[in-house]
Amino acid sequence: MSTKISVSVLVHAAIEHVWECYTNPNYITKWNFADPSWHCPIAENDLTVGGKYFAKMEAKDCSIGFDFTAIYTSVITLKQLSYRMGDGREVITIFEQRENGTSVTTSFDAENENAIELQQTG
């Protein structure tokens, strides 16, 4: 049994806007990196069950990088996304409208290469 990691954030915006920013490749390339020294120059997203998510992640100095891929197992517009990463780990993201914005919670199977704390803050 793998360790599950959950990360939540409250975004002070309507759920429709948050969903669009989270799923549209034009926005994904602007936020999908854990550290200011990294970036996401390319993103593709087929937001259908069986569809592929792809993001090229790399250090801005091009010293290191990797391709992140996943296949959607569930898509419920404005509510939930589930996918399986290329290494088989499962991810679920839940969107919930709140009075003061949108709650986004992502839970995923931890991997064994990096510390739990690093995965959670990343």
Side-chain angles (χ1 to χ4, degrees):
M1 179 179 213
S2 68
T3 301
K4 297 276 189 197
I5 298 174
S6 290
V7 180
S8 295
V9 65
L10 179 65
V11 182
H12 298 285
I15 199 166
E16 295 83 2
H17 182 68
V18 173
W19 179 270
E20 177 72 9
C21 291
Y22 198 90
T23 60
N24 182 319
N26 293 326
Y27 292 110
I28 293 168
T29 59
K30 301 195 179 357
W31 64 260
N32 190 30
F33 37 90
D35 179 286
S37 66
W38 281 66
H39 67 154
C40 178
I42 301 168
E44 299 170 2
N45 197 17
D46 177 1
L47 198 58
T48 60
V49 173
K52 183 177 179 181
Y53 175 87
F54 168 82
K56 180 157 193 65
M57 313 289 286
E58 64 184 15
K60 288 181 180 176
D61 66 6
C62 298
S63 61
I64 190 170
F66 63 94
D67 292 345
F68 180 91
T69 60
I71 301 296
Y72 286 104
T73 55
S74 174
V75 177
I76 304 171
T77 303
L78 301 179
K79 295 188 182 298
Q80 177 182 309
L81 297 171
S82 299
Y83 58 81
R84 183 172 295 112
M85 292 188 267
D87 63 6
R89 292 181 295 135
E90 301 285 336
V91 179
I92 184 170
T93 300
I94 297 171
F95 300 79
E96 295 177 296
Q97 186 70 61
R98 303 280 190 220
E99 186 174 311
N100 56 347
T102 302
S103 169
V104 181
T105 301
T106 299
S107 299
F108 59 96
D109 296 328
E111 45 97 347
N112 297 321
E113 189 173 319
N114 294 294
I116 298 293
E117 295 78 24
L118 180 63
Q119 293 178 66
Q120 192 164 27
T121 59

